């Protein structure tokens, strides 16, 4: 499904009356006191998309805004850090990486009982299907992917010290630390034994590459539907969903992006697997990686199989956490979240198939 971020399509937005609903009477005076120029809150609508942090459209006399909050209930340690999202997007303002303007972060005195932030609402397009059926033609499809590639290269070229993010993560040994973190979170949310997942974890541990010293700001969930494009041109006007961002290895973002080429299109992931990319004007994985390397003046990328396999593992661990929250009753979209249990098995199987073909 594709959608215009500003058409307020009621199939993409729904008034939520569950535990995730917000109290307009309590929220309105708080926002008027803390968000510059905010006045006359008239409606709150929850976006159906997004499993991790519930996100809402706020309509007020002063304009439209977006509120993103932690979910209610007991949460895994180090998850749902909306304050990190707020910090990194505020730091990136004025850089070559487009982000929404950050307006307010509510911490301890939150009127909704959990941390949230408010940002500007941007008028543009979100593409939910990576095959871009709504594009005007092959030239626009190619340009959209090239803009996404250029934005990723710009992100990895950000001077983290200059923007005040030198302490945003631990430099060095990124894959070792991420492997330990996501293995721990996977085990904490594990609901059954998945043989492929256990084999994948064992393979990654024994094939961990030596640290090569590359450190950059990484997004952590860099993909097409986490971006807003201009309404009338193939230009990225905002990169969204920075919850998993940190200081890390740039190839992690690149491999995660390219994993989408391998995920089946006929699935909830809506990847590019099985899509005739050449006919649609979409770049091959090889061409996309080559364009990134040219932009960053890199000769090439080694251990590509590890980076891709790690991306499958990490996404599988995230999906397992979503599935566990669904069982616990805390997911933002419970019915959809339950399908993530099967997704874990699919991701682990795809990773092991990749490994088997390369070994």
């Amino acid at each position: 499904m594709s959608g215009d971020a500003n058409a307020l399509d009621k199939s993409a937005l729904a008034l939520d009356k569950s535990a995730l609903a917000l109290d307009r009477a309590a929220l309105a005076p708080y926002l008027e006191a803390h968000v510059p120029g905010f006045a006359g809150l008239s409606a709150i609508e929850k976006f159906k998309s997004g499993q991790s942090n519930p996100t809402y459209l706020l309509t007020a006399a002063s304009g439209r805004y977006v509120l993103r909050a932690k979910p209610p209930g007991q949460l895994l340690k180090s998850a749902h850090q909306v304050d990190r999202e707020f910090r990194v997007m505020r730091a990136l303002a004025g850089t070559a990486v487009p982000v929404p303007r950050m307006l307010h972060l509510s911490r301890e005195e939150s009127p909704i009982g959990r941390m949230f932030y408010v940002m500007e609402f941007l008028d543009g397009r979100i593409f939910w299907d990576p095959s871009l059926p709504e594009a005007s033609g092959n030239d626009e499809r190619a340009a959209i992917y090239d803009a996404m590639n250029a934005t990723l290269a710009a992100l990895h070229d950000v001077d983290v010290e200059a923007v005040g993010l030198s302490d945003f993560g631990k430099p060095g040994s990124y894959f070792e630390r991420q492997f330990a973190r996501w293995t721990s979170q996977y085990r904490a949310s594990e609901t059954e034994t998945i043989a492929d997942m256990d084999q994948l974890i064992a393979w990654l541990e024994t094939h961990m590459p030596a640290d090569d010293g590359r450190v950059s700001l990484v997004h952590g969930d860099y993909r097409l539907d986490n971006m807003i494009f201009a309404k009338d041109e193939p230009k990225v006007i905002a990169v969204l969903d920075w919850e998993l961002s940190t200081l890390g290895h740039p190839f992690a973002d690149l491999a995660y992006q390219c994993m989408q080429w391998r995920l089946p299109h006929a699935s909830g992931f809506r990847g590019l697997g099985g899509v005739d990319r050449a006919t649609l004007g979409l770049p091959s994985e090889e061409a996309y990686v080559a364009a990134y390397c040219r932009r960053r003046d890199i000769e090439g990328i080694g251990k590509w199989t590890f980076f891709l396999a790690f991306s499958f593992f990490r996404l599988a661990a995230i999906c397992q956490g979503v599935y566990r929250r669904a069982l616990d009753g805390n997911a933002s979209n419970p019915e959809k979240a339950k399908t993530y249990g099967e997704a874990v098995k699919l991701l682990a199987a795809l990773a092991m198939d990749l490994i088997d073909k390369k070994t």
Side-chain angles (χ1 to χ4, degrees):
M1 173 185 174
S2 64
D4 186 321
N6 312 285
L8 303 188
D9 182 350
K10 298 305 179 183
S11 66
L13 290 165
L15 191 63
D16 194 311
K17 297 181 180 180
S18 69
L20 292 167
L22 303 182
D23 184 344
R24 182 161 59 95
L27 187 60
Y30 177 90
L31 295 177
E32 291 183 358
H34 293 87
V35 177
F38 191 97
L41 178 61
S42 59
I44 302 173
E45 294 176 284
K46 181 181 172 297
F47 289 94
K48 284 185 177 179
S49 60
Q51 288 296 309
S52 183
N53 297 317
T55 307
Y56 306 81
L57 174 71
L58 308 180
T59 302
S62 53
R64 288 181 290 183
Y65 308 80
V66 174
L67 183 151
R68 189 159 161 89
K70 284 192 174 188
Q74 185 175 356
L75 306 175
L76 289 174
K77 182 181 179 181
S78 76
H80 312 285
Q81 298 185 65
V82 296
D83 50 334
R84 284 180 67 83
E85 285 193 308
F86 181 88
R87 180 186 173 190
V88 70
M89 285 190 280
R90 183 172 61 179
L92 287 172
T95 70
V97 182
V99 290
R101 185 162 51 95
M102 296 294 102
L103 302 174
H104 177 67
L105 174 65
S106 178
R107 295 179 181 270
E108 292 79 7
E109 299 180 359
S110 168
I112 65 172
R114 56 192 192 274
M115 188 183 298
F116 71 87
Y117 65 86
V118 179
M119 60 184 171
E120 70 172 324
F121 177 84
L122 290 172
D123 194 4
R125 297 176 291 171
I126 294 179
F127 299 112
W128 299 101
D129 186 334
S131 66
L132 300 174
E134 63 274 78
S136 61
N138 286 6
D139 288 346
E140 185 179 26
R141 290 188 187 97
I144 287 170
Y145 271 78
D146 192 59
M148 186 164 51
N149 187 288
T151 302
L152 182 62
L155 168 62
H156 295 158
D157 282 338
V158 167
D159 184 334
V160 293
E161 185 172 352
V163 299
L165 293 175
S166 59
D167 63 343
F168 199 61
K170 297 179 181 178
S173 304
Y174 173 77
F175 286 104
E176 289 184 15
R177 289 184 287 105
Q178 286 284 296
F179 175 73
R181 173 190 176 185
W182 290 109
T183 299
S184 175
Q185 293 212 8
Y186 174 73
R187 297 304 185 193
S189 57
E190 192 173 13
T191 52
E192 63 177 303
T193 298
I194 301 174
D196 281 337
M197 195 65 174
D198 289 341
Q199 292 174 28
L200 176 57
I201 290 171
W203 186 89
L204 290 170
E205 187 170 20
T206 57
H207 289 79
M208 186 70 60
D211 182 31
D212 62 4
R214 296 182 188 273
V215 178
S216 70
L217 179 63
V218 294
H219 181 274
D221 195 13
Y222 195 83
R223 63 178 195 263
L224 183 66
D225 59 336
N226 275 336
M227 301 173 199
I228 300 178
F229 285 78
K231 296 176 72 174
D232 55 359
E233 62 177 317
K235 175 184 177 181
V236 180
I237 62 172
V239 179
L240 306 174
D241 198 357
W242 292 84
E243 181 194 354
L244 299 175
S245 60
T246 187
L247 296 187
H249 201 292
F251 295 169
D253 269 347
L254 181 63
Y256 183 85
Q257 167 91 90
C258 290
M259 178 180 62
Q260 303 297 317
W261 271 253
R262 299 164 182 270
L263 292 173
H265 187 261
S267 72
F269 291 111
R270 299 300 291 273
L272 288 171
V275 173
D276 187 345
R277 298 184 290 276
T279 298
L280 293 175
L282 302 176
S284 66
E285 177 184 300
E286 293 77 12
Y288 192 86
V289 171
Y292 171 88
C293 289
R294 285 195 300 273
R295 284 187 161 107
R296 301 205 65 230
D297 196 22
I298 296 171
E299 291 186 2
I301 297 174
K303 299 189 180 296
W304 188 236
T305 299
F306 175 89
F307 298 139
L308 285 172
F310 179 83
S311 296
F312 278 108
F313 157 72
R314 181 171 165 275
L315 182 57
I318 293 171
C319 288
Q320 182 63 40
V322 174
Y323 179 53
R324 181 58 180 266
R325 286 199 305 278
L327 297 181
D328 293 343
N330 291 331
S332 174
N333 187 334
E335 290 305 313
K336 183 178 179 181
K338 291 177 182 177
T339 67
Y340 281 49
E342 291 302 313
V344 177
K345 299 175 184 177
L346 171 64
L347 291 165
L350 288 171
M352 289 310 302
D353 183 61
L354 169 67
I355 289 167
D356 291 341
K357 289 179 178 177
K358 295 294 183 180
T359 55

